[in-house]
Amino acid sequence: MNHEEFKLPLGQKASLVSLVCDKFESHSTVLETNNSLRELRELLKTLGLIDGEEYVQNRKHLDPATMLGEGKLSEIADAAREEGSSVLVFDFELTASQVRNIKAITKMEVVDRNTVILEIFAHHARTKEAKIQIEISRLQYLLPRLTAMWGHFSKQRASGAAIGGEGEQQLELDRRMVRERIEFYKKQLDEVQKSREQQRKKRQNQAVTAALVGYTNAGKSSLMNRLCKVNVLEENKLFATLDSTFRTLNPDSKPPMIMIDTVGFISNLPNTLIQGFKTTLESALEADLLVITCDISDPNYQKHLRVTQEVLKELKIEEKQQIIVFNKKDLLNDPVRARIIMRNYPNSFLVSSYDEEDMKNLREYIINFFLSKQDHYDLFVPYEAGEAHSRIRGNANIINSVSHEQGIFYRIRIPDFIFQQLGLNNFILAPSEAKDWENPTSI
């Protein structure tokens, strides 16, 4: 068995299948189901599948074997084939037995929403760590579904004896192979994460960071490009980027101010992907400021904000200082919504990443936020302490400097954790002394 056979047939047409049932989370109303299907279409677009018609059944109870009724599934399969679809994509998770049962009824390729998300992650991961974690997630998702693949093998029996047939024997071999691959990748991941942790600690000691976080396709990469004046991939797709990207926000400040663009959040994430998803978000753990980005033009912006806060809580960073940036105001055709949001979130920003004035104001706010967190120090450094002068000029923001006969007075602004690394404590002046050295006429 090659688990590549479980990959989706990209470029083919896929019909979307869902249901409305008041006992089914995220599909309890017509509105919830429609919103979920709209998001599924965007996921298919990102993956490269051609989305076809939607088929929805209203049900009072879920069918544990097939979710939808058998008759409805046959009807959907006939209509899907008529429109040229070769794949049925269900807008919720299916168990291995459900996939097998639905395939038997429809005689079509069957995948669920989780498979689509897993495939997107597999196609869009760029860093070694993300690729390994996502491969682990895909294999873990595949493992219980191997039976569905081998369901077409009949179990061979000899004279009624319980002797496993070809399919049964191959299935056990495949399970063992998948488990071995999972363990292999987990060992690789441990090594990569140790290296990344060292890099993270190094950044923490040398820079201050702001992390762009929020629901997928909220425009984080666009904000990154405008704020940092760089060229990070930006597409109108869900999960256009998966790996955290680091860029300098303000090269003139000391220490450097770093902006981090993180993977977008999404609701109903597959359980097998949750750990991998958190791993790619761990860069947000080191951030001094969370810039929560929300697409104000999306009708579901409130749900997106709620999902974002839930993920931050799971990461145990919801108490970090944060600001909310409502992006894509240029796509908002409802001025009333804008006024309501600014009243409900008075300290937030309403911006378009394409508006230069908006980006200037947001950038200044973030820079000033970091500067306001820095400590002030008054120093007097003798001329002969040459190395100390170099450390000050290379690591601190100099507010004022005055040359004297014996040395130089500095008034600097710098984060305390960096100042403590510079070995300058012996040059600190008391407030009364600082006034004298700052004014050369009083010396």
Side-chain angles (χ1 to χ4, degrees):
M1 187 279 299
N2 183 351
H3 72 271
E4 297 289 318
E5 296 179 44
F6 273 75
K7 290 190 174 181
L8 296 181
L10 304 186
Q12 296 189 28
K13 191 171 186 178
S15 297
L16 286 65
V17 183
S18 190
L19 50 75
V20 178
C21 178
D22 59 8
K23 298 178 177 62
F24 193 30
E25 186 178 357
S26 299
H27 295 79
S28 61
T29 66
V30 173
L31 179 61
E32 283 187 342
T33 294
N34 287 341
N35 288 337
S36 186
L37 280 168
R38 183 171 62 86
E39 191 169 86
L40 180 60
R41 283 191 180 277
E42 291 300 314
L43 290 169
L44 294 177
K45 173 183 173 183
T46 298
L47 189 55
L49 280 169
I50 302 168
D51 55 321
E53 295 296 323
E54 296 176 0
Y55 302 95
V56 180
Q57 183 181 36
N58 288 283
R59 295 186 62 84
K60 292 183 178 180
H61 303 282
L62 300 177
D63 188 323
T66 55
M67 296 296 282
L68 281 70
E70 185 173 337
K72 183 65 175 179
L73 288 171
S74 297
E75 177 187 320
I76 289 172
D78 291 339
R81 278 190 287 267
E82 184 69 24
E83 66 165 302
S85 291
S86 58
V87 184
L88 296 179
V89 182
F90 286 72
D91 190 31
F92 37 78
E93 182 175 2
L94 295 172
T95 65
S97 61
Q98 287 170 346
V99 171
R100 185 170 61 252
N101 295 337
I102 295 171
K103 279 184 176 181
I105 294 169
T106 63
K107 304 298 190 292
M108 293 184 69
E109 187 68 31
V110 174
V111 298
D112 61 10
R113 180 188 181 95
N114 291 5
T115 304
V116 172
I117 295 175
L118 284 162
E119 285 296 307
I120 291 173
F121 272 59
H123 279 78
H124 287 210
R126 294 294 177 265
T127 65
K128 183 177 181 180
E129 180 182 10
K131 289 179 180 179
I132 294 173
Q133 182 62 69
I134 290 162
E135 192 61 22
I136 292 173
S137 298
R138 292 178 73 220
L139 289 170
Q140 288 175 332
Y141 193 69
L142 167 63
L143 189 57
R145 288 161 175 79
L146 289 174
T147 307
M149 180 177 180
W150 286 103
H152 60 281
F153 281 93
S154 61
K155 292 187 177 181
Q156 305 293 328
R157 301 292 179 188
S159 302
I163 301 175
E166 177 188 354
E168 188 175 356
Q169 294 172 13
Q170 186 63 51
L171 177 59
E172 186 53 43
L173 289 174
D174 289 343
R175 284 173 174 160
R176 185 186 309 164
M177 186 188 76
V178 170
R179 293 190 188 101
E180 289 174 353
R181 295 300 293 174
I182 290 173
E183 290 306 311
F184 169 77
Y185 284 125
K186 282 184 175 180
K187 290 178 181 178
Q188 279 197 332
L189 184 62
D190 286 341
E191 295 176 2
V192 174
Q193 288 180 335
K194 287 176 183 177
S195 174
R196 182 180 54 78
E197 180 64 18
Q198 293 174 351
Q199 295 173 358
R200 185 173 72 87
K201 288 180 178 178
K202 185 176 181 181
R203 275 196 302 269
Q204 281 184 316
N205 293 331
Q206 296 179 349
V208 290
T209 57
L212 290 160
V213 297
Y215 209 79
T216 181
N217 206 31
K220 296 185 298 300
S221 296
S222 297
L223 287 176
M224 174 83 124
N225 284 342
R226 307 306 184 274
L227 292 172
C228 300
K229 301 176 183 178
V230 292
N231 186 26
V232 175
L233 174 67
E234 52 181 273
E235 294 185 81
N236 186 26
K237 292 181 178 180
L238 303 189
F239 298 122
T241 54
L242 292 180
D243 303 296
S244 297
T245 306
F246 298 78
R247 294 291 184 271
T248 301
L249 174 66
N250 182 22
D252 299 324
S253 67
K254 297 170 184 175
M257 295 181 184
I258 304 298
M259 181 73 75
I260 309 172
D261 181 15
T262 64
V263 60
F265 304 166
I266 193 169
S267 58
N268 302 322
L269 196 68
N271 288 334
T272 56
L273 252 185
I274 289 176
Q275 189 56 47
F277 188 75
K278 288 180 180 178
T279 298
T280 62
L281 279 170
E282 281 186 352
S283 55
L285 296 177
E286 68 191 74
D288 303 287
L289 174 68
L290 299 177
V291 182
I292 298 175
T293 309
C294 180
D295 178 1
I296 187 59
S297 68
D298 193 304
N300 295 309
Y301 76 92
Q302 289 179 313
K303 176 187 175 183
H304 295 177
L305 268 180
R306 186 171 65 253
V307 170
T308 298
Q309 293 293 353
E310 288 171 356
V311 175
L312 295 179
K313 189 172 183 179
E314 287 181 12
L315 290 170
K316 296 181 173 56
I317 56 174
E318 75 274 17
E319 298 301 325
K320 278 185 178 287
Q321 290 192 276
Q322 53 188 250
I323 59 170
I324 299 177
V325 176
F326 291 101
N327 192 24
K328 303 188 183 183
K329 75 174 185 182
D330 52 306
L331 302 179
L332 182 62
N333 298 318
D334 182 2
V336 175
R337 186 191 301 175
R339 290 196 294 271
I340 292 174
I341 285 175
M342 296 313 292
R343 183 171 66 245
N344 293 339
Y345 302 90
N347 298 318
S348 63
F349 287 81
L350 180 62
V351 308
S352 164
S353 60
Y354 299 100
D355 188 311
E356 292 185 6
E357 191 65 22
D358 286 349
M359 293 300 95
K360 177 184 175 183
N361 293 338
L362 180 57
R363 186 172 184 273
E364 287 180 353
Y365 175 88
I366 296 173
I367 290 173
N368 289 333
F369 168 85
F370 285 127
L371 291 176
S372 69
K373 300 298 180 181
Q374 295 187 355
D375 294 312
H376 289 76
Y377 295 91
D378 292 323
L379 310 172
F380 185 78
V381 183
Y383 288 117
E384 59 267 24
E387 182 62 27
H389 293 283
S390 298
R391 290 198 295 271
I392 291 171
R393 291 167 183 155
N395 297 280
N397 299 291
I398 300 175
I399 301 171
N400 189 21
S401 66
V402 181
S403 297
H404 295 274
E405 185 176 340
Q406 297 114 319
I408 301 177
F409 165 83
Y410 294 100
R411 174 159 290 162
I412 65 173
R413 185 164 52 187
I414 185 173
D416 180 67
F417 74 90
I418 289 184
F419 181 81
Q420 299 305 323
Q421 300 173 30
L422 299 180
L424 300 173
N425 286 285
N426 292 338
F427 304 112
I428 297 177
L429 296 172
S432 58
E433 296 175 310
K435 292 179 181 179
D436 294 334
W437 287 109
E438 186 179 18
N439 183 3
T441 59
S442 63
I443 300 296

